[in-house]
Amino acid sequence: MSLRVIAGNAKGRKLKSPPCFNTRPITDRIKEALFNTLSNSVKDAFFLDLFAGSGSVGIEALSRGASKVVFIDNDINSIKIINKNLINCNFVDGFEVYRQDVLKAIKILCKRNLLFDIIYIDPPFTNEKIFSQVMNEISKYNLLNKNGQIIIRIPKSLVLSSEFYNLKLYREKNYGESTLKYYELSES
């Protein structure tokens, strides 16, 4: 599958994808729908890309004016590809790239007192438990700004709770075998 940046400063740049079976690069259709939904909230946002893979979503955020993007992935090949893609798109600052287990990274980000405006999560579809685990950890360690949002891509067949501690589902949309679920902080 060929990946590209859809809009913004790096529009049209081709992106490489890691050569492994653990990643499912996001299609242009899903990525475009995601960023149409996020709309103007991306500009100047502090963005977290968990299970970043090729970095396609975080790079799209940078291209559309995010102030900073943090990329987290546990796979060394993914980290190398993210760095190559950032260079290819001429991004020299406004990002951090970490090779780390996502559940451990959440705790580290919390210790750094980082709060994100947008958190995008795209775990491997091969481990159904990880979806609830990562949502529970994010809600437990409170990485979201007051008006922030979390988007998680899950298999359409998976049932994921509409609430996690202080997070509540406010939107979901199916795209083929994937569903994007959008969460925000609950009022209580």
Side-chain angles (χ1 to χ4, degrees):
M1 172 192 298
S2 111
L3 297 171
R4 66 184 174 94
V5 179
I6 297 171
N9 297 338
K11 180 179 179 178
R13 296 283 178 139
K14 292 195 182 318
L15 303 173
K16 295 185 182 307
S17 180
C20 65
F21 300 107
N22 294 335
T23 60
R24 302 161 325 322
I26 189 169
T27 64
D28 282 355
R29 177 177 169 244
I30 298 173
K31 187 164 57 170
E32 190 163 13
L34 167 66
F35 281 92
N36 284 343
T37 302
L38 293 174
S39 187
N40 294 332
S41 64
V42 176
K43 184 146 179 52
D44 299 322
F46 193 15
F47 196 103
L48 176 59
D49 189 352
L50 293 176
F51 302 96
S54 67
S56 172
V57 173
I59 289 170
E60 188 74 33
L62 278 173
S63 183
R64 292 174 184 241
S67 65
K68 185 166 190 174
V69 176
V70 176
F71 298 88
I72 310 279
D73 202 288
N74 197 30
D75 182 72
I76 188 64
N77 292 318
S78 291
I79 296 302
K80 288 176 182 176
I81 292 291
I82 291 166
N83 285 314
K84 285 179 183 176
N85 285 335
L86 287 162
I87 290 166
N88 180 50
C89 292
N90 296 323
F91 291 118
V92 293
D93 58 13
F95 59 86
E96 296 176 24
V97 181
Y98 296 104
R99 180 179 180 210
Q100 182 64 260
D101 173 81
V102 165
L103 298 177
K104 288 179 184 172
I106 290 169
K107 294 173 189 168
I108 293 167
L109 295 170
C110 177
K111 285 180 183 174
R112 289 180 58 193
N113 295 314
L114 297 180
L115 293 176
F116 295 89
D117 301 304
I118 301 170
I119 300 173
Y120 178 73
I121 310 165
D122 198 348
F125 280 17
T126 54
N127 177 1
E128 289 200 354
K129 292 178 183 174
I130 194 68
F131 298 93
S132 293
Q133 286 175 324
V134 74
M135 290 299 292
N136 280 320
E137 289 296 291
I138 284 178
S139 63
K140 177 180 167 184
Y141 288 101
N142 195 27
L143 296 179
L144 198 60
N145 265 328
K146 183 180 165 197
N147 296 315
Q149 50 197 322
I150 295 172
I151 305 92
I152 186 167
R153 181 179 169 203
I154 66 169
K156 187 165 82 170
S157 59
L158 181 70
V159 176
L160 191 64
S161 178
S162 61
E163 291 186 17
F164 291 92
Y165 179 59
N166 60 348
L167 301 172
K168 68 174 183 195
L169 181 72
Y170 74 90
R171 176 188 174 96
E172 66 181 281
K173 184 83 170 129
N174 295 325
Y175 303 92
E177 295 302 312
S178 296
T179 298
L180 291 181
K181 290 188 171 263
Y182 297 75
Y183 291 82
E184 63 189 359
L185 290 172
S186 56
E187 300 295 321
S188 55

